């Protein structure tokens, strides 16, 4: 395995470790200072965001890194049009939820979710752009800043100002609105051409359609839990799922730099050699 790939893996796994540590600390804060019902309300709003995000064609997140690694930088701009059109549906659904819960804390959070929906769902694509450009060092810096600011925001809101889930949720949304927007527009400035593979859009649509079931199962389950058992059950589900996901994420971080090298390799024999090398790692996923 080449030295640049090892360095990329180091940055990738460092990103995971930093996010895992700060994520656990943030989870400690929210579980200690927020009531399970309030935390469940916030997670319910996030679950609805995740559900309606399917209209923005999330398959682009899977395909963009591979096409960028092959120097098709126009893939990003060509994906944006479809995603923005689909985001209108998501914003409308969130706004309707806000109107339905109007006058309550949940209603305010849904209105805020509608405002940040495009940065939260589409501009967060900066990570996959950087991945396709093999810039794992920048991913480490960007996601590191995001995790640090989210943790300190939670710490200040919950422990110093002793506020509840409303200010906590709004502060988290505000950080993501600012950082995702800044990161995205900086990242697209790194693109150097407008080349587009003619199969890119159809390929991405196919990935989206095949992945729809997987995309909607988890948020739908949380929405059903909220309806049947109340927001406390959503909070408990979120905590257990967050912890279980951490183990598999470590292996995925190791795979990302290698998969980008495979995508950009032009020689079939080189791809075969790299595939043989990653087989032991892939068995851990």
């Amino acid at each position: 395995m080449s030295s640049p790939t090892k360095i990329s893996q180091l940055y990738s796994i460092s990103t995971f470790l930093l996010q895992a540590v700060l994520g656990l600390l943030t989870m400690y804060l929210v579980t200690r200072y927020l009531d399970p019902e309030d935390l469940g309300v916030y997670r319910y709003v996030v679950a609805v965001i995740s559900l309606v995000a399917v209209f923005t064609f999330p398959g682009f997140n899977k395909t963009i890194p591979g096409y960028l690694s092959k120097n098709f930088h126009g893939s990003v701009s060509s994906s944006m049009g479809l995603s923005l059109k689909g985001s209108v549906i998501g914003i409308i659904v969130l706004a309707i939820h806000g109107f339905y819960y109007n006058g309550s804390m949940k209603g305010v959070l849904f209105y805020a979710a509608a405002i940040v929906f495009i940065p939260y769902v589409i501009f967060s694509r900066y990570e996959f752009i950087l991945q396709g450009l093999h810039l794992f060092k920048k991913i480490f810096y960007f996601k590191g800043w995001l995790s640090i600011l989210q943790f300190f925001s939670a710490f200040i809101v919950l422990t110093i100002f002793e506020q509840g889930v409303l200010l906590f949720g709004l502060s988290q949304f505000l950080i993501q609105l600012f950082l995702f927007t800044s990161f995205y527009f900086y990242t697209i400035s790194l693109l150097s051409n407008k080349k587009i593979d003619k199969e890119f859009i159809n390929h991405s649509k196919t990935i989206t359609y095949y992945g729809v079931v997987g995309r909607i199962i988890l948020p739908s389950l949380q929405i059903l839990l909220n309806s049947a058992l109340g927001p406390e059950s959503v909070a408990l589900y979120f905590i257990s799922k967050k912890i279980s996901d951490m183990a598999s994420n470590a292996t995925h971080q190791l795979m990302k730099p290698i998969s980008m090298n495979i995508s950009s390799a032009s020689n079939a024999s080189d791809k075969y050699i790299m595939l043989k090398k990653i087989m032991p790692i892939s068995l851990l996923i």
Side-chain angles (χ1 to χ4, degrees), residues 64-216:
I64 278 177
Y67 282 92
L68 288 182
S69 68
K70 297 174 183 176
N71 209 34
F72 291 108
H73 290 188
S75 304
V76 176
S77 59
S78 66
S79 69
M80 184 56 67
L82 271 176
S83 293
L84 287 176
K85 289 177 183 177
S87 69
V88 174
I89 300 175
I91 292 171
I92 291 173
V93 171
L94 292 170
I96 290 173
H97 275 75
F99 181 77
Y100 180 79
Y101 294 108
N102 194 38
S104 68
M105 173 180 64
K106 191 180 291 186
V108 175
L109 288 173
F110 269 116
Y111 282 131
I115 294 171
V116 305
F117 183 71
I118 290 178
Y120 187 91
V121 175
I122 301 177
F123 291 169
S124 57
R125 198 170 287 168
Y126 78 88
E127 176 187 354
F128 304 102
I129 299 172
L130 292 175
Q131 185 179 324
L133 296 175
H134 300 259
L135 297 175
F136 290 91
K137 183 177 181 180
K138 290 188 181 297
I139 295 176
F140 171 72
Y141 288 145
F142 287 177
K143 298 195 80 170
W145 274 113
L146 175 64
S147 298
I148 290 169
L149 288 176
Q150 287 184 308
F151 167 71
F152 279 107
S153 172
F155 179 80
I156 292 170
V157 168
L158 298 177
T159 66
I160 296 178
F161 292 112
E162 298 182 345
Q163 295 296 309
V165 71
L166 180 59
L167 189 57
F168 166 76
L170 292 177
S171 65
Q172 295 294 304
F173 283 149
L174 183 63
I175 289 171
Q176 290 162 334
L177 170 66
F178 175 73
L179 290 187
F180 285 164
T181 302
S182 302
F183 293 165
Y184 178 80
F185 283 101
Y186 169 78
T187 300
I188 62 174
S189 71
L190 303 176
L191 303 175
S192 59
N193 65 66
K194 297 182 179 180
K195 291 166 57 178
I196 304 172
D197 188 293
K198 62 181 181 180
E199 296 298 325
F200 170 67
I201 295 296
N202 288 334
H203 182 199
S204 301
K205 285 182 178 179
T206 301
I207 295 295
T208 296
Y209 298 149
Y210 278 111
V212 162
V213 175
R215 290 279 307 188
I216 67 175

